[in-house]
Amino acid sequence: MDQARARTWLTTAVEEARSGLAEGGIPIGAALFGADGTLLGRGHNRRVQDGDPSLHAETAAFRAAGRQRTYRGTTMVTTLSPCWYCSGLVRQFGISRVVIGEAVTFHGGHDWLAEHGVEIVLLDDVECAELMRAFIADHPALWNEDIGVN
C-alpha cells in the first residue's frame, strides 16, 4: 500500500482518537475504507463513555460501516495495534489490510494477522505513540482495564 495514502487515511483515525479522549475515553480511533478508497465507517473506543467493554475503536468503525456484501479488499486503519478481540474481527470478516499508527505502546495481534495473510502496514506514527504514552501515564488503571491486565 502507498505510504502517503496510508498516512492520509490515518488522519481520520487520529481525529477519532482525539474525539474519544475529549469525551473522557481511551484515545484509540479507527476507520474502515472500501477497496475503492471510500470511507465506509469511522469510530473510537467507547468503553468508558458507553460502559460497553466490547466497543473498541475497530468495532465502532466496523459497526458504523454497516453491513457489507464482502470485506475483501477493505482496509481497517487504527491508531494502535489491534488487540486479539479486534484482530479476530479482522480475520472473521476477511478484512484484507490493517494500517496501524503505532505498536510501541501496545503490540497487539498484528503479527498473527500477517501470518494469516492480512497485509499489515505499520506506520510508527509519532503522534499516535505520544497520544497513547500520555494517556497511559495519566490513566494506568483504565489502560490496564482496557487491555485486560488486572
Side-chain angles (χ1 to χ4, degrees):
M1 171 173 212
D2 176 89
Q3 290 284 312
R5 176 176 264 192
R7 289 197 176 277
T8 298
W9 287 357
L10 181 63
T11 61
T12 302
V14 171
E15 289 170 5
E16 287 293 330
R18 292 198 176 284
S19 292
L21 183 62
E23 295 169 0
I26 299 164
I28 304 169
L32 184 65
F33 288 87
D36 64 355
T38 302
L39 176 61
L40 301 174
R42 58 191 289 167
H44 52 271
N45 186 303
R46 297 195 52 86
R47 294 181 78 251
V48 174
Q49 299 92 312
D50 294 357
D52 181 348
S54 70
L55 245 175
H56 289 201
E58 297 87 345
T59 56
F62 181 77
R63 289 175 180 174
R67 184 174 167 215
Q68 304 293 314
R69 184 176 173 278
T70 182
Y71 295 90
R72 286 189 193 359
T74 62
T75 302
M76 179 66 75
V77 181
T78 180
T79 56
L80 184 65
S81 179
C83 69
W84 288 109
Y85 169 63
C86 296
S87 295
L89 180 144
V90 168
R91 286 284 318 280
Q92 174 70 31
F93 291 95
I95 294 171
S96 299
R97 178 185 304 120
V98 179
V99 172
I100 301 166
E102 65 100 356
V104 174
T105 60
F106 179 75
H107 191 102
H110 68 267
D111 292 334
W112 175 75
L113 288 171
E115 290 169 9
H116 289 89
V118 176
E119 180 185 348
I120 300 297
V121 179
L122 181 55
L123 297 176
D124 292 321
D125 185 81
V126 173
E127 182 180 8
C128 290
E130 288 175 356
L131 190 61
M132 284 310 302
R133 279 190 187 109
F135 179 81
I136 293 166
D138 292 344
H139 306 282
L142 185 55
W143 172 242
N144 287 336
E145 175 189 326
D146 188 63
I147 61 171
V149 176
N150 295 320

